[in-house]
Amino acid sequence: MSLKGKAAAIGIAEFKPWKEAPPGVTPLKLMAQLTADVLNDAGLDKRDLDGLLVGMPFADPGMIYPASLAEVLGLNPRMLNVVDIGGASAAGMIWRAAAAIAAGMCNAVICLVADLNKIGDQKVPVVSVQREFEAPYGNIGANCGYAMIAHRHMHEFGTTPQQMAKIAVDQRKSAVKNPLAAFGDKLLTIDDVLSSRMICDPLHLFEIVSPCSGGSAVIVASPEIAKRAKNPPVWLLGAGEYANHASITYAPSLTESPIKPAADAAFKMAGVERKDIDLVCPYDCYTITVLVTLEDSGYCKKGHGGPFVMEHDLSYAGDFPCNTHGGQLSFGQPGLGGGMSHVTEGIRQLMGRGEGRQVRNATLAHVNGNGGIMSEQVSLILERRS
Amino acid sequence: MSEYTKPLPKPTATSRPFWEAAKAHRLQLQQCGGCQAFIYYPRDRCPHCLSDELQWKPVSGRGRVYSYTVVRRAATRSFADKPYVLAIVELEEGPRMTTNIEAPPEMVKVGMPVTVCFDDVTPEHTLVKFKPA
Ligand SMILES: [Zn+2]
C-alpha cells in the first residue's frame, strides 16, 4: 500500500511568532486557539476531527499528553499520539495522519504544535548517554553540532561562508513579503550576515534560528472530507523518513545526511522528478542545513551546494523558490512550530494563498523536516491538482 | 582553587572501566568479540552485530580531527567563561569521540593529527581530551 493521494491537507493555522513569550500564555492555550482557527480555515466542525497528533512542548511537558490535550479541547480521537522526532515532528505528523486515514482508522486528523521560548539556560532534556559522553565536553545545544557539519563541508568541498550566507539573504527576500515573519523587517546582504557575531565557528548569528514562542496546526483529511472543505485540497503524494544517529558524533558522515534515503523514498512514492518541483521548503535551523538538504535531496551533486545556491535566486520570485515564508531563519522558531512552518508554507503556496510572495503556478512542493543534529529526517511531496 | 562547575560524567556499571582507565591516564575501549569492531561510547551490546562479547582493550590514543568548532557563545552558563574547541576526533581504531582539543583555537584544523591527553578536572573525574600530535 502506498500513501500516494490517500489524504489531503485542507486547513492551516499559524501564529506570528513572538520573540518573547507573552505573559499568561501557555502551550495549551495556544493549542486551543490553533484548533479553533484551523477548523475555521478548513470549514470543518470539531466533531469531524477523529485523530490527534501533537508535539510535546518543552515549556509544559507531561505524560499521557495527547489524552490530556484531547480533554482540554473536548475531542474524542480514534488515534492519538505524541510525535517525538525533533524538528521533523511536524512533517512526520503529516504522513502518520495520512497513514491512519489510509488504514481506515480516522477521517480527519489535527496535527498540532505550540511552544514558549523560555529565556536562559537550555534545559532540553537529553538521554543519559548524552549527559555522560557529550555534555562534559560542552557538546550542548545544536549550534556546535551544525558548526562542525559546516566545517567538515568546507574542508571536503571548499564550501565558503559567503555561499552559506547567501541562503539567509535570499530567504529574507521572501520574509519581507510575509506578514507573519518575526524577522522580516528589512533585507539582508551577505556582508550583514558575515559581519554578525561569530557564535560557533564558522556559523554567524544571522545563520542561526532565533527561538520564539508560537505554534501552528494542519488538518489532514480523507478524500471524502476534502471534497467539502473550503480550501483546495493539497494532496500528499509521497513521504519518506530516515534516521541513522542521535548525537552527530556517531553519524556515519557529517556531510552525507540521512536526508537522502528519506527524500528518495518520498520522490519514489510520488512518482515525480526533482525538476517537476515548484518550491522546496527545507528545514533551516542553520544555513548549512539548507545547503546539505538541497544536495542530499538531489537538486545538485554532493558538494555542489555552495555553487548551486550562488547560481540560483532562492526567493519566491526566483528560479528556485526555497523557504518562501523566510524559513525559520527569518520566520522564527517557535519550538516544533518552526518545523511546521515549512509544512504550512508548502500547503499555503499550493492553495494559492501566498499573497505578496506567491510562487506562480505552484503545483508541486517538497518539504523536508529535520530533527536533532541532522538526525531524524522526513520528506514530503505535496500536490495541488488542477 | 575555584570549584569545577561544568557537567561531569556519572559512570554506570557499563561505562565505569572507561572512566577508571581515564583516571589512570589510559585510553581503553570495548572491542567486540563477534565482529572485532571497536566501540565508543561503552555499551552492553555491540551496535554493529548486537553481540554481548565485549572486551576492554587499550587503544593507541592517536587520531585525527574529523571536525571541530570554536564555541564562542555557549549554550549553558557553565561553559560561558571562555571560548573552547569542541571536536569530533576519529581514532585510528575507527570510533569517533566527542572531545576538546587542548590547543589555541586558531591552530586547530580539520584533518590534523592529534593524540590523547587527560584532564583531571576534579580529584574524582578525568576527561579524555586531545592535543596536536
Ligand atoms: Zn560486533
Side-chain angles (χ1 to χ4, degrees), chain A residues 119-122 129 131-145 147-152 155-156 197-202 247-255, chain B residues 4 6-12 15 18-19 40-43 65-73 75-79 84 86-88 96-100 110-111 127-129:
Chain A
I119 307 292
D121 264 18
Q122 290 204 8
V129 289
R131 284 197 301 271
E132 185 172 357
F133 297 102
E134 308 293 322
Y137 302 97
N139 193 4
I140 300 169
N143 291 345
C144 45
M148 290 194 283
I149 293 172
H151 257 164
R152 185 74 199 178
H155 173 80
E156 287 186 23
R197 192 148 65 107
M198 188 69 89
I199 302 295
C200 282
D201 302 24
S247 163
I248 192 67
T249 305
Y250 316 111
S253 163
L254 254 63
T255 52
Chain B
Y4 188 81
K6 294 178 169 65
L8 288 166
K10 289 197 181 69
T12 62
S15 66
F18 174 81
W19 294 115
Y40 184 79
Y41 45 88
R43 288 165 167 90
V65 174
Y66 179 59
S67 195
Y68 77 99
T69 182
V70 184
V71 182
R72 299 184 189 276
R73 190 186 178 285
T76 57
R77 278 182 206 104
S78 60
F79 278 97
Y84 59 97
L86 174 73
I88 301 170
R96 295 189 192 141
M97 303 178 69
T98 293
T99 188
N100 301 124
V110 176
L127 296 181
V128 177
K129 300 188 176 179

Side-chain angles (χ1 to χ4, degrees), chain A residues 352-371:
Chain A
R353 297 160 67 186
E355 298 183 342
R357 62 180 194 283
Q358 179 66 43
V359 175
R360 290 178 61 189
N361 305 320
T363 57
L364 275 175
H366 172 211
V367 175
N368 191 75
N370 159 60

Side-chain angles (χ1 to χ4, degrees), chain A residues 20-367:
Chain A
E20 284 178 45
V25 166
T26 64
L28 280 177
K29 190 169 177 161
L30 294 178
M31 289 189 199
Q33 179 70 47
L34 287 166
T35 302
D37 289 351
V38 76
L39 283 168
N40 185 47
D41 187 67
L44 293 195
D45 187 87
K46 184 161 78 81
R47 283 164 300 188
D48 294 321
L49 292 180
D50 57 5
L52 169 65
L53 295 175
V54 62
M56 183 78 81
F58 285 136
D60 182 26
M63 287 179 70
I64 39 174
Y65 196 88
S68 305
L69 174 63
E71 188 180 85
V72 167
L73 300 175
L75 298 177
N76 304 321
R78 297 175 191 279
M79 185 263 304
L80 60 166
N81 240 313
V82 162
V83 178
D84 181 19
I85 47 175
S89 298
M93 287 176 193
I94 302 300
W95 82 254
R96 285 167 172 78
I101 290 164
M105 299 298 287
C106 299
N107 295 300
V109 180
I110 182 169
C111 304
L112 261 178
V113 287
D115 213 339
L116 304 179
N117 174 32
K118 302 284 185 153
I119 307 292
D121 264 18
Q122 290 204 8
K123 286 274 163 44
V124 178
V126 294
V127 300
S128 56
V129 289
Q130 289 163 11
R131 284 197 301 271
E132 185 172 357
F133 297 102
E134 308 293 322
Y137 302 97
N139 193 4
I140 300 169
N143 291 345
C144 45
Y146 283 95
M148 290 194 283
I149 293 172
H151 257 164
R152 185 74 199 178
H153 206 280
M154 291 165 75
H155 173 80
E156 287 186 23
F157 307 115
T159 304
T160 67
Q162 286 76 11
Q163 292 166 343
M164 292 189 275
K166 165 82 160 36
I167 293 164
V169 169
D170 279 8
Q171 290 190 179
R172 181 60 66 85
K173 288 190 213 164
S174 298
V176 298
K177 300 290 177 99
N178 181 3
L180 293 183
F183 303 90
D185 46 334
K186 66 174 176 62
L187 292 170
L188 283 178
T189 65
I190 288 176
D191 276 352
D192 289 337
V193 176
L194 297 183
S195 59
S196 66
R197 192 148 65 107
M198 188 69 89
I199 302 295
C200 282
D201 302 24
L203 297 180
H204 305 80
L205 182 64
F206 291 174
E207 301 183 82
I208 298 176
V209 283
S210 286
C212 291
S213 302
S216 44
V218 172
I219 293 176
V220 179
S222 65
E224 292 69 33
I225 290 189
K227 255 183 254 166
R228 61 179 167 91
K230 278 199 321 209
N231 297 307
V234 171
W235 297 91
L236 181 67
L237 279 198
E241 184 167 308
Y242 199 73
N244 60 13
H245 65 273
S247 163
I248 192 67
T249 305
Y250 316 111
S253 163
L254 254 63
T255 52
E256 291 191 38
S257 76
I259 292 166
K260 187 175 189 304
D264 284 349
F267 276 98
K268 185 172 179 224
M269 186 190 291
V272 301
E273 304 294 328
R274 272 63 172 178
K275 64 175 172 49
D276 301 329
I277 296 293
D278 298 303
L279 75 147
V280 295
C281 298
Y283 192 92
D284 64 323
C285 38
Y286 302 84
T287 49
I288 184 66
T289 319
V290 174
L291 197 145
V292 172
T293 305
L294 296 179
E295 291 176 349
D296 287 345
S297 297
Y299 295 105
C300 62
K301 272 193 264 178
K302 174 50 67 186
H304 290 214
F308 182 86
V309 300
M310 298 309 274
E311 285 158 14
H312 294 276
D313 177 353
L314 310 184
S315 77
Y316 72 96
D319 59 332
F320 191 83
C322 172
N323 282 334
T324 48
H325 61 311
Q328 289 181 101
L329 289 172
S330 285
F331 176 80
Q333 186 184 44
L336 299 179
M340 191 64 100
S341 76
H342 306 91
V343 178
T344 54
E345 180 66 7
I347 296 167
R348 186 185 281 112
Q349 288 280 355
L350 297 183
M351 284 180 173
R353 297 160 67 186
E355 298 183 342
R357 62 180 194 283
Q358 179 66 43
V359 175
R360 290 178 61 189
N361 305 320
T363 57
L364 275 175
H366 172 211
V367 175

Side-chain angles (χ1 to χ4, degrees), chain B residues 32 35 46 49:
Chain B
C32 176
C35 70
C46 169
C49 72

